[in-house]
Amino acid sequence: MRINRRLLRTLVAPFALLACALSACSTPDAATYSLADFATVRKFDSHVHVNVADSAFLEQAAADNFEILSINVDYPAFPSVSDQAAVAHHFAGVDPQRFHYAATFSMKGFGDAGWVPAAKAYLDSEFRQGALAVKVWKNIGMVERDVGGQLIFINDAGLDPIFDHLAALNIPLIAHQGEPRNCWLPLDQMTTENDRLYFSNHPEYHMYLHPEMPSYESLMAKRDAMVAAHPELRVVGAHMASLEWSVDEAAKFLDAHPNAVVELAARMAQIQYQSVRDHAKVRDFFIRYQDRILYGTDLTLNPGEDAEGFRKVAHDYWLADWTYLATTESQRVDDIDADAMGLALPRSVIDKIYYSNAKRQFFAGRNS
């Protein structure tokens, strides 16, 4: 749930088009957006966390022309799930056109006879209050244990009634399983500085040091098994479905699971790491899967944080991502210690990734 609050320095590159022509990258479509278009284009951030009843987040979203999906999650460093829900209900009432939210459920009591009906009843209450989706977090697979002390995985049969219920209601499941693949690598093999710094400071979460915990590959396999076992369930793979390290692997996931899409939250640096090495491949991935990718950031505003300072962070973050996805311009990305040239995706692709894909995914069967 970490957000890299880097203030990316946007560097206008006057020779960006020439550099692209001399490199191996794809030729940008003529019909692309510019930095000047940023505030005028309708956009949807499919992964944020508004955890305090302060208007700063929504004010900045309005200034930058964003709708947002605030995701409630059973995460110890956040307010309680009930407190997150209360904030969501508040803003859904204040600005239902711009603020949307996803609910979650507690794993407490999982396996007891009353757990499934209680979880379903809670979620139904949230749907009546406006929740558009349900989030499951990496605690399933990496933290939660059954009465026998064994880890509970996302493909556990005990979760099937919840997933079947969501499928019947046509409610999407936002699934965050595992961690970035860097988590299972030695520090000197990690691809981004933010991961290297975090796991060096928090060795308890560095899975490379904990071989007793599930492997990255096993967590991905269990997630894939769940998605395959529920073909009617619409699944949103959070954080590039934890396949951020390889657009080839993300493509395989999307090809294998027509009921799934992916979103980009907090994984842009890993994508930029790849595009610095093969710009054409990454650009082609976005164009090929333009109907299956949702924009997201993981921007978070918690109680006690500087709300006005957050507004600048959010604006800089959103603008840096726009620069990379929509334009030809280069910017310095400190997390990969490199200049990343923009993908200059066609306007039609940007419009899908930034808006229409999210509207289709989260508002199916609803008036929006």
Side-chain angles (χ1 to χ4, degrees):
M1 196 56 56
R2 292 168 292 107
I3 182 74
N4 177 14
R5 302 285 180 108
R6 66 193 187 282
L7 298 181
L8 296 177
R9 300 190 301 274
T10 302
L11 303 177
V12 176
F15 301 107
L17 286 174
L18 176 61
C20 184
L22 295 174
S23 72
C25 69
S26 303
T27 302
D29 190 291
T32 57
Y33 286 117
S34 69
L35 282 174
D37 296 311
F38 170 71
T40 67
V41 176
R42 295 180 75 182
K43 300 178 291 294
F44 195 113
D45 190 329
S46 296
H47 191 140
V48 305
H49 302 281
V50 184
N51 292 336
V52 60
D54 187 295
S55 62
F57 206 132
L58 268 182
E59 289 170 0
Q60 193 58 49
D64 288 332
N65 208 359
F66 271 97
E67 293 178 42
I68 57 176
L69 182 75
S70 185
I71 299 177
N72 294 347
V73 60
D74 191 8
Y75 174 44
F78 278 6
S80 68
V81 170
S82 61
D83 285 349
Q84 292 176 59
V87 171
H89 301 159
H90 166 72
F91 283 118
V94 169
D95 192 352
Q97 298 305 309
R98 191 172 303 279
F99 180 91
H100 318 286
Y101 81 100
T104 192
F105 55 88
S106 172
M107 291 292 288
K108 185 177 181 180
F110 178 81
D112 294 345
W115 182 82
V116 167
K120 290 168 66 173
Y122 174 76
L123 292 176
D124 287 344
S125 173
E126 288 298 297
F127 301 148
R128 289 192 294 271
Q129 296 178 80
L132 300 179
V134 172
K135 170 71 176 285
V136 289
W137 191 51
K138 63 190 178 187
N139 58 325
I140 301 176
M142 300 184 75
V143 177
E144 300 291 344
R145 295 179 182 270
D146 61 21
V147 293
Q150 300 300 306
L151 285 167
I152 301 166
F153 294 102
I154 195 65
N155 63 335
D156 190 293
L159 290 165
D160 285 347
I162 302 299
F163 299 155
D164 291 341
H165 187 57
L166 298 182
L169 296 175
N170 202 23
I171 299 288
L173 177 75
I174 302 171
H176 174 186
Q177 265 50 67
E179 284 275 40
R181 185 170 173 265
N182 280 338
C183 182
W184 281 266
L185 298 177
L187 292 173
D188 61 0
Q189 293 181 26
M190 292 184 182
T191 55
T192 64
E193 182 60 27
N194 59 321
D195 283 341
R196 192 175 300 112
L197 179 63
Y198 180 82
F199 291 117
S200 64
N201 289 331
H202 297 279
E204 68 273 24
Y205 299 136
H206 187 186
M207 290 299 101
Y208 175 76
L209 302 177
H210 299 280
E212 74 280 5
M213 291 293 286
S215 68
Y216 169 81
E217 291 78 12
S218 69
L219 290 173
M220 294 301 96
K222 292 177 186 301
R223 187 273 314 282
D224 290 353
M226 181 277 292
V227 178
H230 297 274
E232 302 304 315
L233 176 65
R234 294 187 296 117
V235 177
V236 180
H239 309 294
M240 277 288 283
S242 294
L243 299 168
E244 73 294 322
W245 61 281
S246 170
V247 294
D248 291 333
E249 292 301 313
K252 291 177 186 177
F253 172 77
L254 291 171
D255 289 344
H257 305 291
N259 56 322
V261 300
V262 298
E263 48 99 315
L264 305 174
R267 298 296 182 265
M268 202 66 78
Q270 287 92 338
I271 296 168
Q272 290 165 329
Y273 178 88
Q274 296 172 73
S275 72
V276 166
R277 287 150 182 80
D278 195 335
H279 190 277
K281 177 193 283 191
V282 174
R283 186 171 190 270
D284 290 346
F285 168 81
F286 277 88
I287 292 173
R288 179 180 176 187
Y289 295 98
Q290 60 186 272
D291 297 309
R292 312 280 298 281
I293 303 170
L294 282 59
Y295 178 72
T297 59
D298 211 8
L299 284 164
T300 300
L301 182 59
N302 276 319
E305 295 182 345
D306 177 6
E308 286 305 307
F310 170 81
R311 289 192 61 171
K312 184 181 187 309
V313 170
H315 173 74
D316 289 348
Y317 202 106
W318 280 331
L319 187 61
D321 286 351
W322 176 268
T323 302
Y324 175 65
L325 294 171
T327 81
T328 61
E329 298 181 14
S330 290
Q331 58 189 317
R332 184 69 180 178
V333 180
D334 292 338
D335 280 339
I336 61 172
D337 193 25
D339 293 339
M341 181 176 295
L343 297 180
L345 298 172
R347 290 186 179 210
S348 58
V349 176
I350 289 293
D351 290 344
K352 291 178 180 179
I353 292 172
Y354 266 96
Y355 195 76
S356 60
N357 290 348
K359 298 295 276 191
R360 183 187 66 248
Q361 188 70 22
F362 297 118
F363 290 85
R366 295 172 181 255
N367 294 323
S368 61

